Amino acid sequence: MTNNSETDKPGQDTIVQMRRFRSGKSLSPIHQAEAYWTALRQGSGIPERDQVDPRGLENLLPHTFVLERIAPSIARFRLAGQTLQRLAGTDLRGMPLSVLVTPKARHRIGKDLQSLFDTPAVAEFSLISEARPAHPTFEARMLLLPLKTELGEISRALGVLVADTPVRGHGAVRFEITGSWLRPVSGRRQSDQAAPAAIAKTTPGFAAPPAPPYRGAPHLRLVKTGD
């Protein structure tokens, strides 16, 4: 996410506040996130990673994560909010998105990730937790929204995962995919190129450094870097 101050520097975009897209409690975090992402598009483009600011996402942060593409069908967590950390029972940074799904669902999520970055497209998933002794199953929804780097590569994604039950230390939950939908991003500009199979450069901002040893489930937080 961007490290802009409230007063924008020349050439940078004004922070889009999430409150613009709320309608009481009727608008779900999934729809809030997509409305926020759409507002950043500036017409027909894919938003840049550095446009996404935690102050704009406000109450969505526990459900929010950022992915980095590292291979055609593989993306790893750069940051993950508290809800994701509780579901996984560990620090997800540096781990692939596929750790959240069962082995038989990994091929499917990989194909959808590839389409998300290459088309590009918005991806939405309906999920159900894997059955475990003494743990009732529950449903969840996940939304992935493509982002591009400052180099124009579509190799990042803003994600939101919302469970239909409060997440209180479930620990190491894995999901089956019960449905998935891909919606190509309309009005793609010629300059929006698909990401290469591997990313050669990592830039500061919302992308976090390699994950430190796990010391509990941290909140998603603003990362400040020098000017």
Side-chain angles (χ1 to χ4, degrees):
M1 289 183 182
T2 183
N3 56 6
N4 297 355
S5 63
E6 292 291 346
T7 302
D8 291 348
K9 297 178 182 179
Q12 292 180 322
D13 300 307
T14 302
I15 295 168
V16 178
Q17 296 293 342
M18 181 55 65
R19 70 173 70 92
R20 289 174 49 190
F21 309 107
R22 283 206 286 258
S23 177
K25 296 184 178 179
S26 63
L27 196 58
S28 73
I30 293 288
H31 292 147
Q32 288 182 45
E34 186 164 3
Y36 176 81
W37 176 86
T38 299
L40 295 177
R41 290 187 61 195
Q42 299 180 340
S44 61
I46 301 295
E48 290 188 10
R49 168 184 56 82
D50 287 344
Q51 289 178 262
V52 181
D53 190 286
R55 291 168 292 178
L57 291 167
E58 296 181 7
N59 62 308
L60 301 187
L61 291 180
H63 308 281
T64 303
F65 56 95
V66 169
L67 299 174
E68 174 191 19
R69 191 186 202 187
I70 58 173
S73 59
I74 301 173
R76 66 179 178 180
F77 287 96
R78 297 295 297 179
L79 287 176
Q82 188 179 45
T83 294
L84 276 293
Q85 306 285 8
R86 286 175 176 170
L87 284 170
T90 188
D91 189 340
L92 285 168
R93 288 176 295 170
M95 295 185 179
L97 177 65
S98 58
V99 300
L100 290 182
V101 299
T102 61
K104 71 178 184 180
R106 288 172 185 171
H107 177 70
R108 182 172 179 180
I109 205 167
K111 287 183 63 177
D112 286 346
L113 275 174
Q114 186 165 359
S115 296
L116 179 144
F117 291 116
D118 289 345
T119 304
V122 171
E124 189 168 352
F125 301 85
S126 59
L127 310 169
I128 188 167
S129 63
E130 188 177 36
R132 296 180 298 160
H135 289 275
T137 60
F138 60 94
E139 295 181 348
R141 293 191 76 83
M142 181 170 65
L143 179 72
L144 301 177
L145 302 156
L147 299 171
K148 65 183 180 181
T149 68
E150 60 189 23
L151 301 178
E153 300 167 337
I154 303 175
S155 59
R156 304 289 190 272
L158 174 66
V160 179
L161 190 151
V162 182
D164 70 352
T165 184
V167 177
R168 298 189 178 94
H170 282 276
V173 173
R174 293 190 301 184
F175 292 99
E176 301 281 1
I177 298 174
T178 57
S180 65
W181 301 266
L182 286 167
R183 289 178 277 121
V185 178
S186 60
R188 183 184 180 188
R189 295 182 299 189
Q190 189 66 31
S191 60
D192 291 338
Q193 299 297 322
I199 307 305
K201 179 180 179 183
T202 300
T203 54
F206 193 40
Y214 177 62
R215 297 187 180 90
H219 290 275
L220 190 66
R221 65 184 186 278
L222 174 65
V223 177
K224 295 185 178 180
T225 62
D227 293 334

